[in-house]
Amino acid sequence: MPRVTFEIVTYVLTPRRGVKPSLNESHVLKALLTLYHKGPMGRQFLSRVLSVGEASARTLIRRLKELELVEVTQAGGAYLTRKGMDVVEKFLEAVIPPKQIDTSCFNYLKLSKEACFAILKGKCRDKVNVLKIRDSLIRYGANAALVMCVRRNKIILLSPGNKGVDENTIEELRLFKEKIHVTLNDNDLILVSFANSFSECESSLYRFLTYSDC
């Protein structure tokens, strides 16, 4: 991920006077994306979107403002500055952010109650460390995870040895491609996180995207 993304998240989450904000990586990245797509917005609305208290939303906005990523008006609330928009646009050049996917019609690809996916554009050009990615997502809160790659317009479910099976072997991969409603390109890396709740699977992906060097 762009180095600046990591630096922003680290700045916002750094404890001050021994007190760590009641926020995580997911809140920071999701706030930036929400303001980019739907801003300006007030603190109350942002707190509901992020499922955090108003005090945490206030802290988040204040620290993003210190980084000159956000400005605030009394009438309209918080909005991204040009610098903030540049950061988000750079992030979106590399990533399709986490989205929920309905797995109710899946059998083989349903590993927990809820599922989310994110796409790292062009990251399958080199060898993919499948075990490292899966372990990281689980460490960040997922119950299970799958790693997929797009090759010749087909989704390949990767194994730890970077071998894998495609849609001809697992029919559900074709259904997965239809249900995510995203344009895929060759060498896109698809990460699927499974958890008991949407917030947990989404958060695990955002946290992975913050620290990933894959």
Side-chain angles (χ1 to χ4, degrees):
M1 290 305 94
R3 177 69 186 177
V4 67
T5 304
F6 170 78
E7 293 172 350
I8 291 167
V9 171
T10 300
Y11 182 89
V12 173
L13 300 184
T14 297
R16 295 185 183 178
R17 299 177 182 175
V19 179
K20 187 181 185 300
S22 299
L23 300 163
N24 62 34
E25 297 85 352
S26 177
H27 297 134
V28 182
L29 294 179
K30 192 171 181 179
L32 290 169
L33 289 164
T34 301
L35 290 172
Y36 180 81
H37 290 295
K38 299 180 180 180
M41 65 178 58
R43 185 176 63 246
Q44 290 183 339
F45 184 79
L46 184 61
S47 68
R48 290 196 296 271
V49 171
L50 301 179
S51 299
V52 299
E54 282 192 48
S56 294
R58 187 185 304 113
T59 298
L60 176 54
I61 291 171
R62 184 177 68 250
R63 295 194 179 186
L64 291 175
K65 186 178 179 181
E66 291 170 2
L67 291 170
E68 300 180 346
L69 302 175
V70 165
E71 279 295 341
V72 181
T73 65
Q74 290 185 342
Y79 65 93
L80 291 183
T81 62
R82 182 65 257 178
K83 180 180 177 181
M85 294 179 68
D86 287 344
V87 166
V88 174
E89 288 166 1
K90 187 72 173 177
F91 180 78
L92 293 176
E93 286 176 5
V95 174
I96 294 178
K99 300 178 185 293
Q100 191 171 20
I101 181 170
D102 178 12
T103 59
S104 59
C105 59
F106 292 139
N107 182 20
Y108 186 83
L109 297 181
K110 185 177 176 66
L111 303 183
S112 193
K113 183 178 179 181
E114 300 290 347
C116 303
F117 73 94
I119 297 175
L120 285 74
K121 301 176 184 178
K123 286 296 184 178
C124 271
R125 291 188 181 92
D126 302 318
K127 186 174 180 180
V128 178
N129 192 330
V130 176
L131 280 178
K132 181 180 178 180
I133 293 173
R134 288 199 317 215
D135 289 349
S136 295
L137 286 168
I138 291 170
R139 185 169 68 253
Y140 294 144
N143 292 338
L146 296 175
V147 182
M148 306 175 185
C149 187
V150 181
R151 291 180 180 142
R152 297 181 181 178
N153 201 35
K154 289 185 178 181
I155 292 182
I156 311 294
L157 178 61
L158 296 179
S159 64
N162 264 253
K163 297 180 180 179
V165 292
D166 65 16
E167 303 165 20
N168 295 329
T169 303
I170 302 177
E171 177 67 25
E172 288 183 10
L173 290 173
R174 186 177 291 109
L175 179 59
F176 175 90
K177 184 167 63 176
E178 294 172 358
K179 290 179 72 65
I180 61 176
H181 303 296
V182 169
T183 300
L184 298 172
N185 296 295
D186 274 2
N187 296 313
D188 282 350
L189 179 64
I190 306 171
L191 309 181
V192 187
S193 171
F194 298 86
N196 295 327
S197 69
F198 166 66
S199 61
E200 289 174 317
C201 65
E202 181 188 54
S203 177
S204 67
L205 286 168
Y206 273 121
R207 295 183 70 188
F208 179 87
L209 293 174
T210 299
Y211 303 115
S212 169
D213 58 358
C214 73

